[in-house]
Amino acid sequence: QVQLVESGGGLVQSGGSLRLSCAASGTIPTFAVMRWYRQAPGKQRELVAAIGSGNPNYSDSVEGRFTISRDNSKNTLYLQMNSLKLEDTAVYYCNVVIFGRGSFWGQGTQVTVSS
């Protein structure tokens, strides 16, 4: 089984930065795509960024401000968030889908951006 634990969320002023981490236990293939999602109150969960063995992908709303990365030696996924906006306030979740094993989610970490 794979367990994912997010950390790094918190309260930050608009324009500030945060770095989220997602520590994974269990074996995750290096080619498996790992993703960050977020869910704001009253809204559907949305994909923020994804990284596999190729170039990362970002939603239009975070392109140029967020950077996703992974350290396979540490089994950890990161999301560097810069120039944060009020609309970035949400619970952020990491996810990995492993073929033949399933889709795994973390418990989420709250990010709150204040004016």
Side-chain angles (χ1 to χ4, degrees):
Q1 277 292 1
V2 173
Q3 290 187 328
L4 304 174
V5 179
E6 300 98 335
S7 61
L11 175 64
V12 63
Q13 285 192 326
S14 179
S17 299
L18 282 175
R19 187 193 195 204
L20 305 184
S21 299
C22 172
S25 62
T27 303
I28 297 179
T30 56
F31 55 80
V33 178
M34 299 191 75
R35 297 174 175 89
W36 284 102
Y37 286 81
R38 67 185 181 187
Q39 188 166 19
K43 295 188 177 181
Q44 288 188 331
R45 191 170 296 189
E46 65 168 339
L47 177 63
V48 173
I51 186 168
S53 55
N55 292 328
N57 293 296
Y58 301 93
S59 68
D60 290 343
S61 60
V62 307
E63 178 83 52
R65 300 187 297 121
F66 290 11
T67 302
I68 188 172
S69 61
R70 65 194 290 176
D71 185 336
N72 291 325
S73 67
K74 296 181 179 180
N75 248 9
T76 301
L77 178 71
Y78 301 98
L79 186 68
Q80 177 67 44
M81 306 186 296
N82 298 328
S83 303
L84 283 161
K85 304 176 180 180
L86 295 178
E87 52 264 42
D88 294 320
T89 294
V91 179
Y92 284 71
Y93 301 89
C94 62
N95 166 265
V96 62
V97 177
I98 302 175
F99 180 75
R101 294 171 59 188
S103 177
F104 302 92
W105 293 87
Q107 83 289 349
T109 185
Q110 175 72 47
V111 171
T112 302
V113 184
S114 65
S115 58

